[in-house]
Amino acid sequence: MTGRVLFHVQHLLGIGHLQRSLRIAEALVARGIAVTLVQGGPPMPEVGRPQGIDVVQLPPIRARDATFALVDMAGNPVGDDLRATRRDKLLATVAETHPDAVLIEGYPFARRAFRFELDPLIAAARAAGVRIVCSVRDLPTVRDDPARHRDIVDRLRNDFDAVLVHGDRSFIPFDVPFPPAAQIADRLIYTGYVANPAQPAAAATPSGEVLVSVGGGAAGQALLTAALEARRQGCLADRPWHVLAGATLTDDAFAALQTNAPPGVTLERFRGDFPALVRRCHVSVSQAGYNTVLDIIAARARAVLVPFSAERETEQLIRAEHLARLGAAELVRESELTPARLAAAIERAAVRDPVPLAIDMGGAVRSAAEIARLIGK
């Protein structure tokens, strides 16, 4: 290996941040760059651990629910002792690995509640002359606050060498979620979207099913309940339904879904072959998370999107509205979700083909190439 990257990633509700980071880490390893992935969320064995990546698990912190209140694995509020333990382990990892670059997922656009460990990480990297790079999705949720915007711009200009935006400028420019993007134009690098690997032709054999999915599952119970009720009331009842409830849905909630699922519905938590399922299905019904939407676009699937939009979350709604305007999906806003509205959207999607979209999905390889350039490898 030539060169090493330390990659900090923290997932809270969903698993998309972790999945995207793993794709980038895989691309770095493929270039001969060693990767230490420091993972701050709960362990996710369902996601797997790609070969060649060193994973360091911090004492986990997760979000209790859609309010994003931070708790430990026992559900207790995060205290100073846990913060200190995580910070010390993170700094020890930096000292042990001697990275050429530190890649931080989300921060400073997001994950600001983790400044207790990220600010010391940045200071240690700066003191060692290490490159610091922000890895951020196409639509970070940033509060519409001029003071917050100024703080983010100042932090990026003072401490970061580059901002890798995992999106396509021609599809959704970065000033949509972050209006002051022009002030960091010399740092911004659009990598393209970080998509799952292309599926083999065999994955396209139609299954004819209605595929319902909610990503990790922690924020998808309303959609799951509405979908099962729509099916119970006769929506596309002549087709098999396949419901993926998510790896992080509570056991009690999953058991309740099992009890109430009508005949003709297959209920599972997680499938590692999700992109292939999307490619084969008749209609995909889902939230509008980054990875799920990319799988839908790549598959040119008929799709209904019910974007997660609790609290101040805007990412999924913006993405879903954009796709609906382009004719690539049916949209049901979470605030308007009922079984009847969902059924109507599914039935509309089932009888028409979506408008195909051409967007850059080479983000993992491009991200790795840009990081290699920054560290001279």
Side-chain angles (χ1 to χ4, degrees), residues 66-68 308-314:
T67 66
F68 287 93
F308 169 64
S309 55
E311 297 294 311
R312 293 191 299 267
E313 289 295 306
T314 58

Side-chain angles (χ1 to χ4, degrees), residues 228 251 253-262 267:
L228 289 176
D251 291 339
F254 186 73
L257 292 174
Q258 288 179 309
T259 299
N260 295 322
L267 179 65

Side-chain angles (χ1 to χ4, degrees), residues 7 17 20-21 23-24 103-106 133-140 163-169 171-172 174 188-195 290 294 319 359-368 370-371:
F7 197 164
H17 297 281
R20 182 169 58 252
S21 299
R23 300 292 83 75
I24 295 169
L103 188 58
I104 304 176
E105 201 279 325
V133 181
C134 170
S135 166
V136 65
R137 68 188 180 204
D138 58 339
L139 290 165
V163 179
L164 301 182
V165 177
H166 305 307
D168 183 334
R169 188 203 312 260
F171 184 60
I172 302 178
F174 198 63
L188 286 184
I189 300 170
Y190 288 87
T191 68
Y193 283 87
V194 179
Y290 183 100
L294 290 182
R319 189 180 294 118
I359 65 173
D360 183 353
M361 293 194 184
V365 171
R366 176 80 188 284
S367 296
E370 291 293 342
I371 294 166

Side-chain angles (χ1 to χ4, degrees), residues 53-111:
I53 298 172
D54 296 326
V55 178
V56 173
Q57 175 68 59
L58 298 180
I61 291 176
R62 60 182 177 87
R64 176 185 288 122
D65 50 34
T67 66
F68 287 93
L70 299 183
V71 296
D72 63 19
M73 291 301 286
N76 301 312
V78 173
D80 289 341
D81 288 347
L82 177 55
R83 292 187 184 97
T85 300
R86 284 175 55 112
R87 180 199 63 221
D88 293 348
K89 185 168 185 177
L90 178 58
L91 294 178
T93 302
V94 175
E96 291 166 4
T97 57
H98 302 288
D100 298 288
V102 167
L103 188 58
I104 304 176
E105 201 279 325
Y107 189 72
F109 299 97
R111 301 297 182 259

